[in-house]
Amino acid sequence: FQVFDAIKQYVQEHPQTRVLFSPNWANGTDVVARYFLDDPLPMQLHSIQGYVENSLPMGEDTLFIMTRDEYEFAITSDKLADIRVEKTIPYPDGTPGFYFVRLRYSDKAQELFDAEKKKREEIQESDIVIAGEKVHVRHTYLEANDQSVGIFQIFDGDPYTYAKTYEANPFIIEMEFPSPRQVNGFSIIIGSAKVSITVTAYASPDASPVTYTFEGQGAMEKPELTFDFPEPLTVQILHVEQLDVNASTPTKNHVWELTLH
């Protein structure tokens, strides 16, 4: 109640201020907020992290209520400037819990956003092991790209691990095998999305392409779709584009597993 009482008072005293309250400190924060503040909420649930990852409207009348971790993140960002703390709400142990902060984008923020967007539009490349064989994979920029999370997770045989795009739709996955092989079709785990999947196959790097498009609807109880090609294909390069039909761009497009038959 300590932070919600403070929010209620702040909104009453600053009716023209757009208040953005972080949802990252609890599960079901929107439910907790409606319990204390009723519905409709007098503020919006949004994290400063979203404003650092994406260029979003931020007027002089905007106040962010951040957790301590988010505040420490904000003061180290080159995209933010003039960071001013109006008040803090302590945790029961007396340490700072929430920060009421006003700030603006720095003069070089847009340049940084443009450079990051250009990088995210580039196709990423990596070598991974698929069915015991080293395969060169080209793919859309992913939300996480480190040793524990990456494109390899959609080929690891585990239906509970996944890769997701940072913002792109369709999700592009291209596999180049060391030598040609026969492929009869594929299975893909896509959750409950409605998808259109375009597959383009090359028997060799300089061969003419063969293209097929498949459509399907996943479901929570049956998240895997299976498709057979009209005839077996000889493939050395296989280019897959998985489009979430009902999602706009930017979006987080997920693939849990991709298996060739």
Side-chain angles (χ1 to χ4, degrees):
F1 71 88
Q2 291 91 339
V3 68
F4 288 111
D5 285 352
I7 291 173
K8 186 182 299 183
Q9 180 180 353
Y10 194 94
V11 170
Q12 291 173 350
E13 295 175 353
H14 304 83
Q16 302 305 316
T17 296
R18 178 171 171 246
V19 177
L20 303 178
F21 181 37
S22 171
N24 293 339
W25 56 278
N27 290 322
T29 316
D30 59 323
V31 179
V32 180
R34 288 197 298 272
Y35 174 80
F36 282 99
L37 299 176
D38 296 327
D39 203 3
L41 293 172
M43 48 69 182
Q44 295 176 301
L45 292 170
H46 213 305
S47 169
I48 187 62
Q49 291 174 307
Y51 281 75
V52 172
E53 293 175 357
N54 303 281
S55 180
L56 301 173
M58 184 196 304
E60 294 182 357
D61 61 343
T62 301
L63 176 92
F64 291 88
I65 303 177
M66 311 176 187
T67 66
R68 179 169 52 186
D69 287 345
E70 288 172 329
Y71 175 71
E72 293 175 353
F73 166 77
I75 62 178
T76 63
S77 173
D78 292 335
K79 296 176 183 173
L80 304 176
D82 293 343
I83 299 175
R84 309 178 305 279
V85 178
E86 293 195 358
K87 67 185 300 182
T88 60
I89 305 297
Y91 287 131
D93 65 1
T95 59
F98 296 94
Y99 293 75
F100 287 52
V101 180
R102 290 185 186 266
L103 46 76
R104 68 173 179 84
Y105 279 128
S106 69
D107 294 338
K108 60 180 179 180
Q110 192 56 53
E111 179 183 346
L112 295 172
F113 281 125
D114 292 343
E116 290 172 352
K117 180 174 177 57
K118 183 178 180 180
K119 180 179 179 181
R120 294 195 299 267
E121 290 173 348
E122 297 175 355
I123 292 295
Q124 307 297 296
E125 300 190 41
S126 58
D127 291 318
I128 64 173
V129 175
I130 301 177
E133 185 176 44
K134 187 176 180 180
V135 179
H136 188 68
V137 179
R138 304 176 185 90
H139 58 88
T140 306
Y141 190 91
L142 303 180
E143 182 176 70
N145 231 342
D146 57 37
Q147 293 182 349
S148 62
V149 180
I151 194 68
F152 70 91
Q153 291 191 305
I154 69 174
F155 299 102
D156 63 359
D158 185 345
Y160 297 102
T161 61
Y162 60 85
K164 62 179 174 179
T165 65
Y166 186 92
E167 62 187 357
N169 189 32
F171 192 154
I172 296 173
I173 307 161
E174 183 180 284
M175 295 153 278
E176 182 172 356
F177 300 96
S179 58
R181 77 272 326 288
Q182 181 175 300
V183 179
N184 299 307
F186 66 97
S187 297
I188 187 168
I189 300 179
I190 44 82
S192 57
K194 181 179 181 180
V195 296
S196 175
I197 302 173
T198 300
V199 178
T200 303
Y202 300 81
S204 65
D206 57 353
S208 298
V210 177
T211 300
Y212 297 111
T213 297
F214 306 91
E215 295 184 350
Q217 173 71 61
M220 293 300 295
E221 63 275 9
K222 191 178 179 181
E224 183 175 42
L225 303 177
T226 297
F227 302 101
D228 293 323
F229 297 136
E231 59 184 9
L233 297 177
T234 299
V235 172
Q236 186 170 5
I237 298 176
L238 191 65
H239 182 95
V240 179
E241 297 193 13
Q242 186 265 88
L243 176 71
D244 187 334
V245 174
N246 294 324
S248 57
T249 302
T251 191
K252 307 294 184 186
N253 193 334
H254 296 67
V255 173
W256 278 259
E257 201 72 19
L258 177 61
T259 306
L260 304 181
H261 304 149

